[in-house]
Amino acid sequence: MKATKLFIYLLLALPAFFLQSCQTEEDNVFDKPYSERMGEFLQKAQDTLTASQYGWVLDYYPQSNQVYGGVAYTIKFTHDDAIVRYEKNPDDGEVKSLYKMKEDDGPVLSFDTYNAFLHKYATPKKGEYRGMEGDFEFVIDEIKADYIKVHGKRSLNTMYLRKLSEPATDYIEQVTDLTNLFVFSDFNLSIGGKTYTLVITDRDNRQLAIYDGNTPIAESAYTFTDRGIRLYEPITINGAVVYDLTFDKETAKLSGNGVQTTSSKIDVNVIANLIGTIDVSNGAKKIKKTIPYLSWLNVSCDASWVHLTKEGNTLTIDVDANAIATKARGAKIKISNGIDEASAAVMQYDLSALMGYYELKMTSYVAGDNNKDVLKVNTRQARLRYEGSGANRKFYLNVSSPYGDDFVFPLTYVASAKAFLMQSGQNVITIRNSRATFYIANSFNIDENRGTGTYTDFYNLISFSVNESGDISASLCGPLFVSAGGQLKYVNLTADRLVLNAYTSEPFSEENLFAMLDMWINPVITKRSSSSSSAKPAILPEETSDNTLSLQMPQYLPNRIPSFDVDFSVPLTTSVAKQVKLNK
């Protein structure tokens, strides 16, 4: 019996014995404590980062599915500072901030002090509490002499810091130049001896797909390098690894390990955007545009008053003088790659041509069955007019109303943009009856839920287009600007409806707001070329017509709205509750 018990005790003791033996063996794997080993690893990472003469390039991918594509940063490390350049702001130089090497569930490179470049994709915004889900903390996975592998602590995306062999300014310049040259929609590729098609599926967010015939076989985000494009991660196709592709500027071909372009196709829509809208006054004008691979394209214009000349990559556009001041002219520059075609608009007019009668088409409230108002497409007569002369001239938009008098919207003419600004919160008509007086003010809505409410410091830009028949059109809802310190700033939002609000006493405010009178959705005014040209005699060119003395418009280019980092959420959130209630 005693022998049996002893045997059982020995059996029970064996697991503990082996566990103890294993634990001893595990402890002996490392000859230093974890904290000391972590400190040494972080020190090695920092020593490697600071040792690079020119710094490092970071292929940066925000968001866990890389939906925004990749961008290039260069980072030069000192003992305390990170000096950062960003490919999408090459003219803004460098931004310096602190960085930290720390242990946080692993070895982490942290840019925890704000850097306008590096934090661009991680900074929260209205409606995006995680920003664009970018990273500013990176877990260090591997350290090599010429690269450091990391992954984003938030996105978990794998990224690489690659050692620069040239100054950061040179690298960023080459990336920018290559980005500007990359005007292609797709490439036919030979991969491992078989033909495939690489298609740029989202140019803005740098996404591509590779097709075998009509079947997509791979998708990837990509970023630009100083030599070409690099995919987020390697893709193996037909035995070849597609990853780092070099772009030959002369032949417009991509090549890599077992990958070679056989033909490439220019995206004509990109070329049309590069030409942009040619918006000129009535005098003769010569415009020159530099267009990548222009010699590969057919460029033409049917209008007799527009003349095109191609020399290398330079397109010269000569526009004849317009002898009729009150008439506008429009034309199309057609761009073709032999398969696809796109066009860029040419418009020629002066302020005189904008004056006169228009048809306003919109969706607004009209009387329906049982005297109940319903939203319906309808038209009204409108008129652009002015009073006074020179610097005292004032502009107005009159729109016919069912209340006897016209709605009258005061406007500000912006000569640099050949456009008008309509201010929010202006009294546009007064309605009186035997029992009450109501004042009607305008406001702008971005959609059915968000609007400028009773604020009076927002401006809606009304810009014009001219078609090939000479018809002039403009939307009464456009980009929104806010007045701050006497200057206008674009708020990165566009109105799609104009709201007319009834209030009971001056000034227009939430306290005296009564009800919504009407809502004009997508209102567009059009003046036919054959219609009466002017409500008043033509405005003489030598007269000044500036009533923008109290406001400064930001630099404005046709076809390109200037962007400012302005928080529009404050005025929206404080007014939206009552405005939305009215709109419903």
Side-chain angles (χ1 to χ4, degrees), residues 134-388:
D135 293 284
F136 59 88
E137 293 191 315
F138 304 88
V139 180
I140 303 169
D141 298 317
E142 185 180 7
I143 303 171
K144 296 292 184 180
D146 56 351
Y147 73 83
I148 295 179
K149 181 181 177 183
V150 300
H151 68 265
K153 194 172 178 184
R154 173 187 292 177
S155 70
L156 302 181
N157 288 338
T158 298
M159 303 178 226
Y160 290 88
L161 286 151
R162 292 181 169 87
K163 190 174 183 179
L164 280 170
S165 58
E166 60 186 330
T169 51
D170 294 348
Y171 184 90
I172 290 294
E173 182 179 350
Q174 291 175 66
V175 170
T176 303
D177 289 346
L178 196 146
T179 304
N180 293 333
L181 285 175
F182 208 76
V183 294
F184 301 89
S185 59
D186 52 88
F187 300 82
N188 286 332
L189 300 178
S190 174
I191 304 177
K194 183 178 177 180
T195 299
Y196 298 87
T197 304
L198 185 153
V199 179
I200 305 300
T201 55
D202 187 338
R203 182 172 302 278
D204 293 334
N205 293 311
R206 298 181 179 177
Q207 306 289 323
L208 60 80
I210 298 176
Y211 285 75
D212 182 355
N214 294 322
T215 305
I217 59 171
E219 296 178 345
S220 178
Y222 66 92
T223 188
F224 286 98
T225 70
D226 59 334
R227 299 184 302 114
I229 64 172
R230 186 156 46 222
L231 278 56
Y232 169 65
E233 58 187 2
I235 299 172
T236 301
I237 299 175
N238 198 30
V241 176
V242 183
Y243 182 49
D244 210 336
L245 300 176
T246 299
F247 180 73
D248 187 304
K249 298 177 183 179
E250 298 299 322
T251 63
K253 291 183 176 180
L254 293 168
S255 61
N257 181 30
V259 179
Q260 179 65 54
T261 296
T262 56
S263 64
S264 51
K265 187 169 72 173
I266 295 175
D267 190 332
V268 291
N269 293 300
V270 173
I271 302 302
N273 288 334
L274 289 175
I275 295 174
T277 299
I278 307 301
D279 190 349
V280 297
S281 58
N282 285 332
K285 188 76 173 179
K286 179 179 288 188
I287 303 105
K288 290 191 176 184
K289 298 278 184 175
T290 301
I291 308 297
Y293 306 100
L294 181 65
S295 61
W296 296 23
L297 300 166
N298 296 317
V299 184
S300 62
C301 183
D302 295 335
S304 61
W305 48 279
V306 179
H307 314 281
L308 305 177
T309 306
K310 291 197 309 181
E311 290 184 51
N313 287 335
T314 301
L315 177 66
T316 302
I317 306 163
D318 280 295
V319 181
D320 294 341
N322 182 9
I324 306 176
T326 57
K327 291 289 185 180
R329 300 196 293 196
K332 297 288 186 184
I333 296 175
K334 298 174 184 177
I335 307 107
S336 173
N337 59 19
I339 302 172
D340 305 318
E341 186 173 283
S343 61
V346 181
M347 301 187 298
Q348 186 178 38
Y349 63 93
D350 280 331
L351 179 59
S352 298
L354 300 180
M355 299 296 102
Y357 289 91
Y358 290 76
E359 177 189 79
L360 169 60
K361 186 175 182 179
M362 61 188 172
T363 298
S364 64
Y365 283 104
V366 296
D369 297 336
N370 301 321
N371 291 323
K372 185 176 181 180
D373 288 348
V374 294
L375 283 170
K376 193 174 182 180
V377 176
N378 63 95
T379 60
R380 298 186 189 179
Q381 188 179 71
R383 180 165 61 113
L384 270 173
R385 64 183 182 87
Y386 65 90
E387 296 178 357

Side-chain angles (χ1 to χ4, degrees), residues 7-8 40 44 53 100 129 242 244 269 278 287 314 316 363 372 396-397 401 450 479 481 538 576:
F7 179 70
I8 293 173
E40 290 177 352
K44 179 182 178 182
Q53 178 184 359
K100 186 184 299 180
Y129 75 97
V242 183
D244 210 336
N269 293 300
I278 307 301
I287 303 105
T314 301
T316 302
T363 298
K372 185 176 181 180
Y396 301 93
L397 173 67
S401 82
R450 297 180 296 164
F481 295 79
V576 71

Side-chain angles (χ1 to χ4, degrees), residues 507-525:
F508 181 42
S509 67
E510 290 191 8
E511 285 70 29
N512 57 25
L513 193 58
F514 180 74
M516 183 184 71
L517 180 73
D518 202 354
M519 177 167 55
W520 300 354
I521 302 173
N522 297 325
V524 175
I525 57 174

